[in-house]
Amino acid sequence: MHFGIHYIDFLPGDPAALGPMLGRTAVAAEQAGADMFTLADHFFQMETVGKAEDPFLEGYTSMGFLAAQTERIALTMLVTGVTYRYPGLLAKIATTLDVLSQGRSMLGLGAAWYEREHTALGVPYPPLRDRFEMLEETLQICLQMWSENDGPYEGKHYRLAETICRPQPIRRPPIYLGGSGEKKTLRMVAQYADLWNTTSPLPELPHKLDVLRRHCDAVGRDFAEIRLTGGQFMDPFADPDTYLKTAEEYAALGFDLINIGPLPGNPDPAGWVTRYGEEIAPRLAEIG
């Protein structure tokens, strides 16, 4: 079983400390053997984590900063809300990150949910049905921009006269979709995604996987092509045996990566990651 480090808490305090702390944590994740380093793509801190007024850095600027400080680890949002950036610009942003990181970017996407930050900053927040339509069109636009087709794109929500993207990515960024909605999200996972991330409770996952398999059959996709990743946001040090047993249950279902991260409020996230790499990661690697 592999692991990724998800970083969500930019601690209050001196703004000058935020960059060095983020950089140290990403370097620690790479040294600990993490496959990926992910950020939540928001403009305000999530109210399930802290206060909206807490510090929160813009994601893609942060990823460019981290690309210069790391060498091997994959870098991605977990996940970008489809409403935040026009899809042609998003494809260009993801391409730039890929080129500057020497082929280490991924494109994490979701339908967006944090209405408060949209309203506060003047970002349109369409109804959920429209956001799902926008998500699919964004996937199609990005894939077209990462192809030889520079022609127009005509959709319901987006119309592009040209889809030029130069330079092309060093490696076409893998598509990483988050969410567990059975009718729309999992159908798009089957059709477009290279990786799927879910935070659904373990007892629900066999059913979700059955639904995903049916969607794969419907679109002619090999289910085995999709890498399955799960969010397991608990304290692994409180009861390592229970934590690892949970990881074994994920592995038995076909998941091969667990996303984990320093819990909110931890004053030393880099130290937390280093400890995880020393105490938990070797045992995790024996699973699956």
Side-chain angles (χ1 to χ4, degrees), residues 12 44-45 47 50-56 114 116:
F44 292 174
Q45 178 58 275
E47 292 168 299
K51 298 180 296 183
E53 297 83 1
D54 287 346
F56 210 88
Y114 197 173
R116 179 177 178 179

Side-chain angles (χ1 to χ4, degrees), residues 258-276:
I258 293 295
N259 283 305
I260 185 68
L263 298 179
N266 190 307
D268 182 15
W272 187 98
V273 170
T274 297
R275 182 184 177 193
Y276 186 92

Side-chain angles (χ1 to χ4, degrees), residues 97-117:
L97 176 61
D98 188 78
V99 169
L100 296 181
S101 68
Q102 295 294 296
R104 292 187 285 129
S105 76
M106 298 192 290
L107 181 64
L109 278 174
W113 60 268
Y114 197 173
E115 185 173 5
R116 179 177 178 179
E117 64 184 357

Side-chain angles (χ1 to χ4, degrees), residues 81-159:
V82 71
T83 51
Y84 296 148
R85 301 167 187 86
Y86 283 109
L89 301 182
L90 178 61
K92 187 67 176 180
I93 291 166
T95 299
T96 300
L97 176 61
D98 188 78
V99 169
L100 296 181
S101 68
Q102 295 294 296
R104 292 187 285 129
S105 76
M106 298 192 290
L107 181 64
L109 278 174
W113 60 268
Y114 197 173
E115 185 173 5
R116 179 177 178 179
E117 64 184 357
H118 289 76
T119 303
L121 299 180
V123 179
Y125 189 67
L128 183 60
R129 177 178 178 177
D130 289 349
R131 301 199 309 273
F132 272 112
E133 293 172 350
M134 292 162 64
L135 176 59
E136 183 152 22
E137 290 189 16
T138 296
L139 289 165
Q140 293 169 355
I141 290 166
C142 288
L143 290 172
Q144 181 168 325
M145 290 185 68
W146 294 332
S147 75
E148 296 180 357
N149 182 359
D150 290 345
Y153 175 89
E154 293 286 336
K156 177 180 177 181
H157 298 276
Y158 303 111
R159 292 170 180 82

Side-chain angles (χ1 to χ4, degrees), residues 3 36 44 48 54 56 88 91 93 135 157 160 181 186 190 197 226 236 239 248 264 267:
F3 70 98
M36 63 180 73
F44 292 174
T48 54
D54 287 346
F56 210 88
I93 291 166
L135 176 59
H157 298 276
L160 286 70
L186 292 183
N197 187 72
I226 302 170
D239 187 349
E248 289 175 352

Side-chain angles (χ1 to χ4, degrees), residues 211-222:
V211 172
L212 180 55
R213 287 187 183 93
R214 290 198 294 272
H215 282 304
C216 286
D217 291 341
V219 301
R221 177 81 184 278
D222 183 355

Side-chain angles (χ1 to χ4, degrees), residues 216-236:
C216 286
D217 291 341
V219 301
R221 177 81 184 278
D222 183 355
F223 172 81
E225 292 177 357
I226 302 170
R227 188 179 189 185
L228 307 178
T229 76
Q232 191 181 353
F233 300 112
M234 56 189 290
D235 183 359

